Every structure is written in structure tokens, then in C-alpha cells.
Amino acid sequence: YYLNKYELSRVCKRLVLLAGTAGFVVIFSGTLLDTLKTGLPNEDYINTTNMYIYFMAASVFIIVKDISGSATCNRFKKCIITVSQSTFTIYLVHQFYNIVLARLGLSITTFSPFVSFPLIVVLDFVLSFFTYLVFKKIPLLKKLVWFKYMLTYQVVYDIIYL
């Protein structure tokens, strides 16, 4: 809410972006090193109670807000709005696809973590986003998606057009 409603100074923005970058480095390297050390996937660094996740989320929010505020490309703005509308559905179904991918034998240790981790993230996002598109076509589920859309639309609209 704060990042959306108030404009941060350049110094504050840089500090948040630096914290987000540091968060990414800590999460990626910590997960990689612990996974290589134990041979098992380690999700300690990706846990939602980890402060680095919040730093990364704030950084992404600021980057998207700045890009969309200065972008004149309507296609980019539509893409941001579409992705933001799909986040609730993606949040609800992504763990299902994580389980499906794991049962199919695709885990962070299947290949090098440098390959497995981005591959799993991209597949999970694409499958979850596709689920959102399918849900929009089913009448009963469309109402639920539409309700969430109405809740998020105002926030996204404020970010992009104000």
C-alpha cells in the first residue's frame, strides 16, 4: 500500500532495489549451495517468512511501477494488467503444478540447479497462467476470477495510470 500511494525518494528507491538484489543473491546462492551440499531441495530460503522475499517483492513492485509510469506502450500496460489480474489464480494453483512437476520427476536436483530452478519457475508460471485463462472461460469460475479482478484492478490502475 505504502509503495503504491507514496512516491519514494531516489535514495529510498535505490536502497529498496539494492535490498531486493541482495535478497535475490542470498536466496539463489543459499538455495543452490544448500541443495548441492545436501543433494536435496532446500526451501528454507524461499520460505514466505524470509525477509529477502519481501525485499524482492518490493523491488519488483517499484520497478514495474516506474516502468509502467513512464512507458507509453499500451501493449506493455495491458500485459501488466493481465498478469496482475491472474496473480490470485496463479497463487492458488501454483503448488498443484509444483506437485505435478515433482511427480513427473522434475525437481531442483533433476539437472543442475542453474537449469532446474528457472525451468521449474517458468513451467509453473506458464501452467498456472494457462489455468487462469481456462478459468476465465468457465462461467462459474469466471465470476470468481471477475471478483478478484475487480479487487485488483483499482490498485493496478492506480499504479499504471496515476
Side-chain angles (χ1 to χ4, degrees), residues 20-36 42 44-46 50 52-53 56 108 112-119 121:
T21 303
F24 175 79
V25 169
V26 168
I27 289 170
F28 185 80
S29 61
T31 302
L32 174 68
L33 293 174
D34 280 355
T35 300
L36 290 174
N42 184 338
D44 293 343
Y45 294 94
I46 324 174
N50 188 329
Y52 298 114
I53 294 290
M56 287 175 41
I108 199 164
S112 163
F114 287 111
V115 175
S116 294
F117 185 73
L119 179 65
V121 169

Side-chain angles (χ1 to χ4, degrees), residues 14 57 91 137:
R14 287 185 181 170
Y91 170 73
K137 302 291 183 194

Side-chain angles (χ1 to χ4, degrees), residues 134-146:
V134 170
F135 280 10
K136 278 181 52 173
K137 302 291 183 194
I138 300 171
L140 178 63
L141 293 175
K142 183 178 181 178
K143 291 180 182 179
L144 295 174
V145 171
W146 179 256

Side-chain angles (χ1 to χ4, degrees), residues 55-143:
F55 293 153
M56 287 175 41
S59 296
V60 169
F61 186 87
I62 288 173
I63 290 168
V64 170
K65 182 179 177 183
D66 286 351
I67 290 173
S68 65
S70 63
T72 57
C73 179
N74 285 334
R75 182 180 230 173
F76 180 73
K77 290 179 182 180
K78 286 179 183 177
C79 180
I80 290 174
I81 288 172
T82 302
V83 169
S84 70
Q85 292 167 357
S86 67
T87 56
F88 185 63
T89 305
I90 289 172
Y91 170 73
L92 291 176
V93 301
H94 84 279
Q95 192 60 31
F96 168 76
Y97 288 117
N98 284 337
I99 293 167
V100 168
L101 292 174
R103 292 224 174 139
L104 291 174
L106 185 59
S107 73
I108 199 164
T109 57
T110 304
F111 308 109
S112 163
F114 287 111
V115 175
S116 294
F117 185 73
L119 179 65
I120 291 170
V121 169
V122 169
L123 282 172
D124 192 16
F125 176 78
V126 168
L127 291 168
S128 299
F129 186 75
F130 179 74
T131 301
Y132 163 76
L133 295 176
V134 170
F135 280 10
K136 278 181 52 173
K137 302 291 183 194
I138 300 171
L140 178 63
L141 293 175
K142 183 178 181 178
K143 291 180 182 179

